[in-house]
Amino acid sequence: MLSNQIINWYLQNKRELPWRETKDPYQIWISEIMLQQTRVATAIDYFNRFIEQFPTISDLAKAKEQEVLKLWQGLGYYSRARNLHATAKIIQSQYNGIFPDSYEEILKLKGIGSYTAAAIASFAFNLPHAAVDGNVYRVLSRIYGIDKAIDSTEGKKYFQSIASETMGNARPEIFNQAIIEFGALQCIPRNPKCDICPLFANCFAYNNAQVDQLPIKSKQIKTKNRYFYYLFLSCKSQFLIEKREKKDIWENLFQYPLIEYNKPIPTDELLQTLEWKELFGNKNMLIHSVSGNVLHKLSHQNLHTTFIHIEMDIKKLKKNTDYKIINYSEIPNYPFPKLIEDHLNMIVKNNT
DNA sequence: CATTCGTGGCA
DNA sequence: TTGCCAAGAAT
């Protein structure tokens, strides 16, 4: 039986991971959110720091969102952290601080979709729901030779039913862990280890030379270009930051004052723009330096970034704005996108 | 249904 | 190098 083969493989090959040492639904929840679109190797350190700082739902519910985002800094997809925090507060107030123990209730929580609900329901409560993630799509598509697109509504529904059938009467907790781990270590995206695979004899893709063609994805990602001009306004060891509050990338993270264009603009033209004049008027200032083009690539965007370092009396800028003046020593209190964090690290390094 | 949301690793 | 992709979810 396929489920037994996968489970046997798992029992002999599984990794020791911090979230596998607990049955606490809170910790399992945190790990599953972190692991969304994120590699295990990256998530481990973030997980340990997170649990250390927020050991329980109550601790997380009492925290400030800014603290949570700071712990999340560098992980990406920051809505995960915002939803995590919001959900902790809801569990605290509406569920008496107790993590819900049914699939349907878990699925209602912010930031939890069908995969994560099934993962938590099975790992923490051993409920029979097949957790279908990218690994499972890959494993099932290859074994059964399924050519339905994994990013179509029809395909998702079909794979969900196949996964449930494959799980059968196996223990949900073990089976879900096993098939995910099998996909992560053995049936990997590129150059899967078919030569040492215990399932190759019954694998459709292997026996029909389709391993490299499965799974099928229908959509293609397209990226757009944005042009960021960040103004690093400093005075001795102080500088200006602002909070990003629009529905865009990096919501509720901090950055320097930003002038954005949809096409590149020469620095001398930038000095003539309305934004620039509104910001500086006739104030006394010195352009300390202008960086070269820094390319920051996101999944759907290329950010062509220029950092303009200006030295001036920044206290004179503060009126009528949401800008905040902070000292280098306060950097650990504010969550920054990696693009900004990297620049700050360079600045601090050059001034100490 | 298509798009958007980060960052890092790998060939 | 450049593109793909990783324990997906929300809109």
Side-chain angles (χ1 to χ4, degrees), chain A residues 173-299:
Chain A
E173 167 208 351
I174 302 288
F175 173 80
N176 281 338
Q177 286 282 1
I179 191 169
I180 290 170
E181 189 81 331
F182 184 79
L185 297 181
Q186 170 70 34
C187 193
I188 53 182
R190 281 168 302 190
N191 303 318
K193 305 171 182 177
C194 300
D195 52 334
I196 58 168
C197 182
L199 305 181
F200 79 94
N202 297 317
C203 178
F204 180 94
Y206 179 78
N207 293 116
N208 293 275
Q210 290 186 26
V211 172
D212 294 334
Q213 278 71 47
L214 295 171
I216 304 286
K217 273 192 184 174
S218 58
K219 296 171 189 137
Q220 49 188 351
I221 55 170
K222 40 187 174 184
T223 62
K224 67 176 180 180
N225 292 305
R226 300 172 72 175
Y227 299 85
F228 281 12
Y229 296 87
Y230 272 126
L231 309 178
F232 182 70
L233 300 164
S234 74
C235 180
K236 297 180 181 174
S237 65
Q238 294 190 312
F239 61 101
L240 244 62
I241 61 173
E242 66 177 359
K243 191 175 185 178
R244 292 182 64 93
E245 293 184 324
K246 295 177 186 172
K247 285 188 178 173
D248 191 1
I249 56 172
W250 303 330
E251 185 180 337
N252 290 2
L253 273 69
F254 289 80
Q255 64 179 6
Y256 310 140
L258 171 66
I259 298 177
E260 179 180 354
Y261 277 86
N262 57 9
K263 56 183 173 56
I265 173 172
T267 305
D268 56 341
E269 286 184 33
L270 189 70
L271 306 190
Q272 306 303 321
T273 62
L274 195 59
E275 294 95 322
W276 185 277
K277 288 177 177 172
E278 282 182 353
L279 203 50
F280 300 112
N282 294 320
K283 295 190 178 64
N284 193 14
M285 50 169 283
L286 168 69
I287 298 183
H288 173 277
S289 60
V290 178
S291 79
N293 182 30
V294 177
L295 177 61
H296 188 75
K297 302 183 77 165
L298 282 62
S299 51

Side-chain angles (χ1 to χ4, degrees), chain A residues 24-274:
Chain A
D24 180 358
Y26 169 71
Q27 292 196 30
I28 291 170
W29 170 45
I30 301 298
S31 73
E32 286 304 329
I33 301 299
M34 284 188 173
L35 287 165
Q36 289 170 1
Q37 298 291 286
T38 305
R39 293 173 180 282
V40 167
T42 304
I44 291 176
D45 288 343
Y46 280 90
F47 176 81
N48 288 329
R49 284 195 295 267
F50 200 98
I51 295 300
E52 183 178 11
Q53 184 158 341
F54 304 122
T56 68
I57 292 177
S58 171
D59 296 311
L60 181 55
K62 282 184 285 191
K64 299 287 185 192
E65 183 187 88
Q66 191 169 322
E67 295 178 72
V68 182
L69 284 171
K70 187 63 184 181
L71 261 182
W72 209 268
Q73 180 179 302
L75 253 191
Y77 286 149
Y78 298 97
S79 67
R80 294 183 294 172
R82 298 192 302 271
N83 284 334
L84 205 55
H85 181 232
T87 297
K89 295 211 281 192
I90 289 173
I91 294 176
Q92 192 66 16
S93 62
Q94 299 180 20
Y95 293 78
N96 288 324
I98 299 171
F99 202 93
D101 61 359
S102 77
Y103 175 84
E104 291 71 22
E105 287 298 314
I106 295 171
L107 186 59
K108 289 179 185 171
L109 303 174
K110 277 188 186 177
I112 296 182
S114 58
Y115 161 74
T116 303
I120 297 172
S122 61
F123 300 158
F125 306 110
N126 199 32
L127 295 172
H129 294 271
V132 182
D133 73 336
N135 292 301
V136 177
Y137 283 125
R138 187 168 56 253
V139 171
L140 295 178
S141 69
R142 285 172 175 169
I143 290 179
Y144 294 119
I146 303 169
D147 60 2
K148 294 183 187 298
I150 63 173
D151 53 358
S152 68
T153 303
E154 182 199 355
K156 287 175 184 170
K157 192 174 176 182
Y158 184 72
F159 275 95
Q160 183 71 50
S161 68
I162 295 295
S164 298
E165 281 182 31
T166 305
M167 180 165 74
N169 292 322
R171 283 183 61 195
E173 167 208 351
I174 302 288
F175 173 80
N176 281 338
Q177 286 282 1
I179 191 169
I180 290 170
E181 189 81 331
F182 184 79
L185 297 181
Q186 170 70 34
C187 193
I188 53 182
R190 281 168 302 190
N191 303 318
K193 305 171 182 177
C194 300
D195 52 334
I196 58 168
C197 182
L199 305 181
F200 79 94
N202 297 317
C203 178
F204 180 94
Y206 179 78
N207 293 116
N208 293 275
Q210 290 186 26
V211 172
D212 294 334
Q213 278 71 47
L214 295 171
I216 304 286
K217 273 192 184 174
S218 58
K219 296 171 189 137
Q220 49 188 351
I221 55 170
K222 40 187 174 184
T223 62
K224 67 176 180 180
N225 292 305
R226 300 172 72 175
Y227 299 85
F228 281 12
Y229 296 87
Y230 272 126
L231 309 178
F232 182 70
L233 300 164
S234 74
C235 180
K236 297 180 181 174
S237 65
Q238 294 190 312
F239 61 101
L240 244 62
I241 61 173
E242 66 177 359
K243 191 175 185 178
R244 292 182 64 93
E245 293 184 324
K246 295 177 186 172
K247 285 188 178 173
D248 191 1
I249 56 172
W250 303 330
E251 185 180 337
N252 290 2
L253 273 69
F254 289 80
Q255 64 179 6
Y256 310 140
L258 171 66
I259 298 177
E260 179 180 354
Y261 277 86
N262 57 9
K263 56 183 173 56
I265 173 172
T267 305
D268 56 341
E269 286 184 33
L270 189 70
L271 306 190
Q272 306 303 321
T273 62
L274 195 59

